[in-house]
Amino acid sequence: MNRQTRTRASMLVLAGALALGSGLACDLQLPTGTTNAGGAANAVAKGAASASCPEWASGKMIGGSFTSDAELNADIAAFMQASADISTLADSSYKAVAKACVNMAADLGIPGDQIKPKDGDAATPACNAVSAKIGQIIKANAAVKVNYTPPSCQMDANFKAQCEAECGVEVDPGKVVAECEPARLSGYCEGTCGGRCEGTCEGSCQGECSAKDAQGNCIGECKGTCSGQCSATCHAKCTGEWKAPHCEVEVQKSQVKAECSANCEANANVRASCKPPVVDVQAQAQADAMKALTATLSKNLPALLQAQVRIGKQLSSDIKIVIASGKRLKGQMSGAGAKAVTCVGQAVNAMASASVKLNVSVKASASVSGKVGAKAGT
């Protein structure tokens, strides 16, 4: 399989992962031999690319110089920064999932030869072995009931404002809020959102809420009007203070600015600070195997749900935006210069590699959470 084919395959793999929603069941076929993104070949490739794209090696792309066209330069920087941060997320999520499943295997007495890495992938064998063992325990004893509160995250509004300033989008909060029609206004609301929420709504939802707490309050995605705290972009109304507000009219002045801004917002969501999932595990049977299962689920399932829900649902649209931006930018490199071509190519390749790890993390996590029927809310 050549590089181009592998890259296309990786993109298709991620598309499947993102379509999983909460990802409690999946049937994806994974490419083999591509999950060991930390291997020698990748290190050599990164070193070669960093020689002609020092910003990539530094990890700081915002404010970098890639081409003489100012708007295109800002667009490239926003895409590259998002790609680098998603790559970091992919690495950390994959390691967390692998560690959680290896820990669970040890707690459940699974032999080491059943969780050996395969084709450089340490997460999938361990999580599959744990899933199989859970099935055996439940069959011999009784079912477990697992409810969880999804990870609650807050967008990095300061980064979004800094990034959009580079894009040339109006960032004076007072001016944006004062001059923009409410229906066209959006941003991060430090207070109470009173409109559509693109992230997790914590409060009341006039519409359909994907998860509720024991008191009936919304703690998930609200398909309607959210009246409460919104973890990402809030639209139309904010009782409190708008952070990094943005008006649809301003962005429409330039398609390049709009695309640059979209990468900034996606990246701000990726950079969000998160409270981990809270898991409630209940089991009636008191056999030693069931006690061990309950204990290890309480300790390790939050890490699996963090990767599964965060990647497979909360960030799915953001990751799609960044992937689409890479494809678009590769077609806009005519006349942009050698450095722009090299840097964009490096970021596109990094996203292809990250997509494989993201997919493995979602699927491996789902193999365990799905076995115990983990559900959001009560």
Side-chain angles (χ1 to χ4, degrees):
M1 182 181 290
N2 60 32
R3 180 182 295 274
Q4 184 178 16
T5 303
R6 284 199 303 269
T7 300
R8 289 176 178 171
S10 299
M11 294 299 187
L12 291 173
V13 166
L14 179 60
L18 298 177
L20 292 175
S22 60
L24 296 181
C26 45
D27 304 310
L28 301 181
Q29 295 298 315
L30 296 174
T32 59
T34 57
T35 55
N36 188 14
N42 288 334
V44 171
K46 182 176 180 180
S50 65
S52 53
C53 189
E55 290 86 354
W56 181 261
S58 72
K60 297 179 180 178
M61 274 60 77
I62 302 299
S65 178
F66 306 99
T67 185
S68 59
D69 184 315
E71 285 194 351
L72 180 59
N73 187 78
D75 195 11
I76 291 172
F79 161 68
M80 290 183 62
Q81 190 67 63
S83 298
D85 290 343
I86 289 173
S87 295
T88 299
L89 172 68
D91 287 341
S92 61
S93 297
Y94 177 82
K95 290 176 182 177
V97 168
K99 181 180 179 180
C101 283
V102 168
N103 288 343
M104 293 183 77
D107 292 342
L108 298 177
I110 298 173
D113 61 353
Q114 294 184 22
I115 62 171
K116 287 182 178 179
K118 182 178 180 181
D119 295 323
D121 177 12
T124 302
C127 291
N128 285 347
V130 168
S131 177
K133 184 67 174 181
I134 290 174
Q136 295 171 8
I137 294 172
I138 290 175
K139 185 176 181 180
N141 295 275
V144 293
K145 182 180 180 182
V146 179
N147 292 320
Y148 68 91
T149 301
S152 176
C153 303
Q154 298 297 327
M155 172 198 286
D156 189 338
N158 289 332
F159 170 81
K160 183 173 184 284
Q162 176 193 0
C163 183
E164 288 194 331
E166 293 290 326
C167 296
V169 177
E170 176 63 65
V171 293
D172 181 341
K175 184 177 180 181
V176 173
V177 173
E179 297 182 358
C180 189
E181 296 177 21
R184 297 179 180 273
L185 183 63
S186 64
Y188 175 68
C189 177
E190 197 170 79
T192 302
C193 179
R196 182 167 64 88
C197 172
E198 292 186 15
T200 299
C201 174
E202 295 185 12
S204 64
C205 173
Q206 295 180 352
E208 180 183 346
C209 180
S210 63
K212 295 183 178 180
D213 62 17
Q215 289 72 45
N217 297 314
C218 184
I219 53 171
E221 178 185 0
C222 174
K223 294 182 179 178
T225 299
C226 172
S227 296
Q229 189 176 55
C230 176
S231 68
T233 300
C234 171
H235 291 260
K237 182 180 179 181
C238 172
T239 302
E241 182 180 358
W242 284 105
K243 294 288 186 179
H246 133 139
C247 188
E248 183 182 340
V249 175
E250 166 65 21
V251 174
Q252 285 179 342
K253 292 180 180 178
S254 166
Q255 184 63 28
V256 175
K257 285 183 181 179
E259 290 159 347
C260 182
S261 178
N263 275 309
C264 291
E265 182 167 334
N267 199 5
N269 288 329
V270 170
R271 285 171 166 249
S273 57
C274 298
K275 295 178 182 179
V278 177
V279 174
D280 177 34
V281 183
Q282 299 179 10
Q284 293 182 345
Q286 295 300 310
D288 289 344
M290 185 59 77
K291 290 180 180 178
L293 175 59
T294 301
T296 197
L297 283 173
S298 297
K299 287 189 299 182
N300 296 297
L301 190 57
L304 300 182
L305 292 171
Q306 175 72 20
Q308 179 186 337
V309 177
R310 183 83 179 121
I311 296 169
K313 185 172 183 180
Q314 294 179 348
L315 292 177
S316 62
S317 60
D318 298 303
I319 296 171
K320 288 178 182 178
I321 285 171
V322 179
I323 290 175
S325 293
K327 183 178 180 181
R328 170 181 55 78
L329 282 170
K330 284 188 72 175
Q332 295 177 348
M333 290 295 97
S334 177
K339 182 178 180 180
V341 172
T342 298
C343 292
V344 169
Q346 176 72 357
V348 168
N349 289 340
M351 280 298 295
S353 178
S355 72
V356 178
K357 281 193 173 183
L358 292 170
N359 177 60
V360 172
S361 297
V362 171
K363 185 178 180 183
S365 299
S367 69
V368 176
S369 65
K371 187 64 70 172
V372 297
K375 296 180 179 179
T378 56

